[in-house]
Amino acid sequence: MGALFFALGSEAKPWIQITNAKPAKENSRFRRFESPDATIFITGIGKMSMALAVAEFALSLPKEERIQSKIWNLGIAGSTTKSFSLGDFFWINKLTDQSLKKDYYPERWQSSSFANESNLLTVDHPISRSPDKSGFTTATGDILENYKLIDMEASGFFFAAEMYFPMENIQIGKIVSDHLEGTFCTEESVEAMLGNHTPKLLEEWKEKLPDWEKDPLTGEIWNSILETSRTFQFTESMVHELKRAVRYFLLTHPNQKIPYLEIPSTSEPMEKRVVKQIFESWKTLLYA
């Protein structure tokens, strides 16, 4: 079936109870529970721990099993806007790592009874909109203006998950726990907020993954994309990201032509800044 990843035990508790999951017998660096419905990880706070837990799970599976395994990160997040009420659930459609200044694009492939989506910023330290809060970093104007939700794990989860699992298997869902007042939630409140949504989320968790007849990114199509990417002087990491974006476009827009960018006429090497701008523009078209 797959694995669910939570940072906190209070986030995972409703899922452990509803699936009747039991502590795993095999050794793990993390708290791990098993049921017929899911493997449940409790990783602890922070994106590094989350990424390591995802990698541990992925490497425990044969490659063919990963293709059929869902992998979700669920948990709480602070919100920069009062228009998001406490307890509201959001699927994440854009994810930014603050320290790496890197964007990721989780995408919903199937319909959901949870219609709300949002962007999310993953930070390395707890933040507050109020200055001088002990244990918290003060939120900057950029954060308050450009991001709706804040957490400390999702970018680590997604970074590791996309290395091992198909994009359509990966989902991130967050529940609003606070409005960055600079206080920590109680275990009881976190458990209650997750518990309110767990039954419906479990129904969607049990739905089958999309059964694509074949990967639409054929050799002929990819060779054309690859040739264009070389013309734009993309780096290897850019090409890797581009391949995922093209595959996403083909799966979600099967009757449309792949959008291309105009190839520059100059044969001179382009500045890195220009190459990055071209890459981001193309990726935006593919994810539109």
Side-chain angles (χ1 to χ4, degrees):
M1 177 65 73
L4 295 148
F5 292 81
F6 302 88
L8 305 173
S10 52
E11 294 172 331
K13 190 174 179 179
W15 280 85
I16 293 171
Q17 293 176 333
I18 200 171
T19 61
N20 197 29
K22 305 299 182 184
K25 295 180 180 179
E26 64 267 28
N27 292 330
S28 172
R29 294 176 180 269
F30 306 92
R31 293 174 64 190
R32 179 172 175 168
F33 297 80
E34 300 284 355
S35 78
D37 294 313
T39 297
I40 297 171
F41 279 85
I42 301 172
T43 68
I45 296 172
K47 63 186 182 185
M48 183 63 72
S49 293
M50 183 65 71
L52 290 173
V54 172
E56 179 185 289
F57 175 67
L59 295 174
S60 72
L61 301 177
K63 188 174 181 179
E64 55 271 19
E65 282 190 34
R66 296 178 202 163
I67 297 174
Q68 301 300 324
S69 297
K70 286 187 178 181
I71 177 167
W72 287 9
N73 167 222
L74 301 175
I76 58 172
S79 176
T80 62
T81 173
K82 292 292 181 69
S83 64
F84 287 7
S85 299
L86 297 183
D88 283 353
F89 181 90
F90 293 86
W91 292 115
I92 303 306
N93 55 23
K94 182 181 179 182
L95 169 63
T96 302
D97 185 293
Q98 183 188 33
S99 58
L100 296 178
K101 296 180 173 56
K102 185 173 178 59
D103 296 328
Y104 304 93
Y105 295 89
E107 293 291 343
R108 289 292 303 168
W109 299 78
Q110 294 170 299
S111 61
S112 172
S113 59
F114 298 93
N116 293 332
E117 297 187 1
S118 175
N119 66 12
L120 173 71
L121 177 70
T122 295
V123 298
D124 294 335
H125 306 283
I127 66 172
S128 168
R129 63 171 61 249
S130 303
D132 304 321
K133 287 284 186 177
S134 179
F136 291 81
T137 300
T138 304
T140 63
D142 172 68
I143 290 176
L144 297 175
E145 292 172 8
N146 296 310
Y147 302 98
K148 301 298 185 183
L149 295 175
I150 312 292
D151 91 327
M152 295 180 62
E153 289 81 31
S155 66
F157 166 81
F158 196 84
F159 174 80
E162 68 172 349
M163 293 177 63
Y164 299 105
F165 298 90
M167 287 284 286
E168 59 267 29
N169 298 27
I170 305 168
Q171 296 297 326
I172 299 172
K174 297 293 174 177
I175 295 171
V176 178
S177 59
D178 60 89
H179 292 106
L180 307 183
E181 293 92 349
T183 57
F184 293 106
C185 300
T186 65
E187 291 185 5
E188 292 78 13
S189 65
V190 172
E191 183 181 338
M193 283 187 279
L194 268 292
N196 286 338
H197 298 294
T198 299
K200 282 189 176 181
L201 284 169
L202 178 59
E203 291 178 14
E204 297 191 11
W205 171 259
K206 291 181 177 181
E207 292 177 3
K208 291 184 178 180
L209 287 164
D211 185 18
W212 312 115
E213 292 184 2
K214 63 177 182 178
D215 191 332
L217 191 55
T218 63
E220 181 180 352
I221 294 173
W222 176 241
N223 288 339
S224 174
I225 296 290
L226 188 59
E227 183 177 347
T228 304
S229 70
R230 287 170 177 162
T231 303
F232 288 134
Q233 302 166 24
F234 289 169
T235 64
E236 287 300 317
S237 62
M238 287 179 177
V239 172
H240 182 66
E241 285 191 46
L242 183 65
K243 189 169 188 177
R244 291 197 302 270
V246 173
R247 184 172 181 270
Y248 166 78
F249 180 88
L250 290 171
L251 289 171
T252 53
H253 303 86
N255 299 318
Q256 296 184 26
K257 292 184 178 180
I258 298 172
Y260 279 78
L261 297 178
E262 184 177 346
I263 298 175
S265 57
T266 178
S267 60
E268 295 295 322
M270 288 184 282
E271 296 181 19
K272 290 183 178 179
R273 172 183 58 83
V274 176
V275 172
K276 187 174 181 179
Q277 289 175 346
I278 293 172
F279 170 71
E280 292 296 337
S281 296
W282 199 357
K283 198 164 66 170
T284 297
L285 285 175
L286 292 166
Y287 280 115

